Amino acid sequence: MNTRNTILGLIALTLTACSTLAQWTAPDKEKKWSHTKEYRQAEGLFWKSFHSGQYQNIPGLLELFKRIYSENPGHYKAAARIGFLHTWALSERRRMKVIPATIIDHASLCQKYFKEAYQLKDDPRYLGFWASCTLAEAEIHGQERDLRKGFFMMKDAISDWPQFNYFTGGYVLSNRKADDDLLDLAIDWQWKNLDVCTGESVNRDNPDYSQYMNQETKKGVMRACWNSKKAPHNFEGFFLNMGDLLVKKGKVETAKKIYKNAKLSKNYSTWPYRQVLENRIAQADKNVEEFRKEFKAGEIPGHPMMMFNTSYSCMACHQK
Ligand code: HEC
């Protein structure tokens, strides 16, 4: 009996080793992106829709990019677009009158496509979004192990491009409770984002950004600190979100100073969400309680919510 068990055990071990080895030695998928007419048209439609907040175009755009991807699974740019579209659908779900339960599937799909994109192209933006989708999916499915995995992926993404991913990492932690250490971490990451953008430790009590405005650039890793063609109101959106995090924490006076930095932007007067910011400054004290109220992911509550939970959670930075 014992010998039989040992033999069975050995066979099982060998099979496991074989399967592991077979998987390890499998060839990598080949990167093969092509700038076809079909892709160019899909890109044009994507940016037109994304920059004007045409959320209703998402299903049509997914169809276009998935057609391109299914013809060429090495097309990392198409894979990434699909990932962004699923993230947009999930993140701005409060644009819908009623949120269907199937909305949760966008988290699984954005995870899948960013994984594909990142494996083909080592782009820290893809890793940051992949990590966010992993965290969102883990939360939905109640998977603590995946939550931890997503967290470590985010740390890698931050070290690869801190100017971009400190924001991303903190943003997805917005729904942590006010006394949760992870909300403190989300806030700390926003400060660190400012530090890596300015090259010095920004004053935590008086974060006046006017002294840094001459550092604006459209180039290199530092471009993620400023407005650009792709993210025309990144600067304003960043400070709106950071102010919201601070308000939730109860740091109202610092939050007001942070909100005000958004007004330093050259493009502030054309920002579609400037009224939101003005209201945030006026209502900052009251919003401490509002932002702490609990609600469900599929709910559209009547009270003011942090940027992360609104219908403009992507558009605050991306709408023209
Ligand atoms: C705080 C502002 C901010 C928010 C909020 C934000 N983004 Fe961005 N996003 C940026 C910046 C900055 C860039 C440009 C990075 C660069 O220059 O490469 C960017 C780039 C992008 C790109 C272009 C990537 C490429 O292919 O070059 C897409 C697509 C995108 N974001 C989607 C989203 C989606 C979807 C959301 C909502 C879940 C979102 N973003 C939320 C700031 C933001």
Side-chain angles (χ1 to χ4, degrees):
M1 208 48 194
N2 255 346
T3 328
R4 192 167 162 259
N5 275 353
T6 316
I7 292 171
L8 282 177
L10 275 173
I11 294 173
L13 242 167
T14 319
L15 286 176
T16 316
C18 271
S19 102
T20 313
L21 195 70
Q23 288 176 53
W24 272 353
T25 54
D28 280 339
K29 182 168 143 178
E30 203 189 333
K31 178 166 77 188
K32 246 191 342 193
W33 88 278
S34 44
H35 206 64
T36 57
K37 190 172 154 225
E38 208 186 0
Y39 175 70
R40 261 200 322 274
Q41 281 175 346
E43 270 294 279
L45 198 59
F46 170 79
W47 284 108
K48 207 168 148 242
S49 306
F50 196 53
H51 277 151
S52 57
Q54 293 183 62
Y55 184 85
Q56 71 282 8
N57 289 358
I58 294 176
L61 286 162
L62 280 172
E63 180 64 27
L64 286 180
F65 283 105
K66 287 190 178 178
R67 202 177 299 155
I68 295 167
Y69 182 77
S70 53
E71 276 164 20
N72 176 9
H75 202 309
Y76 67 93
K77 292 198 181 209
R81 279 294 172 265
I82 297 167
F84 284 123
L85 283 162
H86 282 297
T87 319
W88 183 19
L90 179 65
S91 192
E92 295 199 343
R93 61 190 178 280
R94 293 200 169 82
R95 284 183 184 266
M96 292 187 273
K97 285 200 181 73
V98 179
I99 303 173
T102 50
I103 198 80
I104 59 175
D105 298 340
H106 289 295
S108 310
L109 290 166
C110 73
Q111 224 250 101
K112 171 67 184 164
Y113 285 95
F114 276 118
K115 178 180 174 190
E116 294 295 330
Y118 184 67
Q119 285 177 351
L120 290 165
K121 178 85 185 348
D122 182 2
D123 182 324
R125 295 170 305 179
Y126 299 168
L127 184 57
F129 270 79
W130 181 16
S132 308
C133 298
T134 304
L135 289 168
E137 203 206 21
E139 197 103 41
I140 289 167
H141 296 276
Q143 283 283 7
E144 183 61 31
R145 187 168 296 122
D146 291 342
L147 213 54
R148 293 180 193 188
K149 187 174 132 197
F151 191 71
F152 284 103
M153 286 163 70
M154 189 61 85
K155 286 196 145 187
D156 285 344
I158 290 174
S159 78
D160 288 352
W161 191 354
Q163 292 81 356
F164 186 81
N165 280 322
Y166 267 132
F167 161 75
T168 315
Y171 202 36
V172 294
L173 296 175
S174 298
N175 282 338
R176 295 283 158 171
K177 293 213 170 84
D179 59 0
D180 188 328
D181 289 346
L182 287 179
L183 192 79
D184 292 329
L185 181 69
I187 294 171
D188 184 49
W189 279 352
Q190 304 314 298
W191 286 117
K192 290 204 168 110
N193 206 145
L194 294 179
D195 294 347
V196 292
C197 279
T198 58
E200 63 179 47
S201 179
V202 168
N203 189 325
R204 288 355 187 206
D205 300 316
N206 186 24
D208 176 5
Y209 217 70
S210 53
Q211 60 190 300
Y212 306 113
M213 294 309 286
N214 61 354
Q215 295 183 13
E216 181 161 4
T217 177
K218 306 250 179 269
K219 297 207 181 87
V221 290
M222 289 297 194
R223 72 181 191 274
C225 306
W226 305 95
N227 292 341
S228 59
K229 247 189 180 157
K230 286 179 180 168
H233 295 287
N234 173 45
F235 187 87
E236 295 92 317
F238 177 90
F239 285 111
L240 174 57
N241 168 64
M242 184 170 175
D244 284 359
L245 284 168
L246 286 162
V247 163
K248 185 175 191 180
K249 188 69 204 170
K251 301 209 162 164
V252 177
E253 288 317 308
T254 318
K256 284 185 192 162
K257 291 177 189 160
I258 283 290
Y259 283 137
K260 282 183 189 145
N261 282 329
K263 298 186 179 196
L264 296 170
S265 161
K266 284 195 295 247
N267 318 104
Y268 182 72
S269 64
T270 59
W271 187 34
Y273 298 98
R274 60 190 183 284
Q275 196 51 53
V276 171
L277 186 105
E278 305 284 347
N279 292 346
R280 287 291 210 276
I281 297 171
Q283 306 288 323
D285 290 290
K286 202 172 145 272
N287 280 344
V288 177
E289 285 312 306
E290 300 289 357
F291 290 172
R292 290 179 182 183
K293 283 184 183 163
E294 290 197 29
F295 54 88
K296 294 199 178 78
E299 213 184 318
I300 308 179
H303 59 80
M305 286 190 293
M306 299 168 76
M307 174 175 145
F308 180 67
N309 293 310
T310 61
S311 58
Y312 48 88
S313 58
C314 306
M315 288 306 110
C317 295
H318 285 288
Q319 195 171 326
K320 268 191 182 160

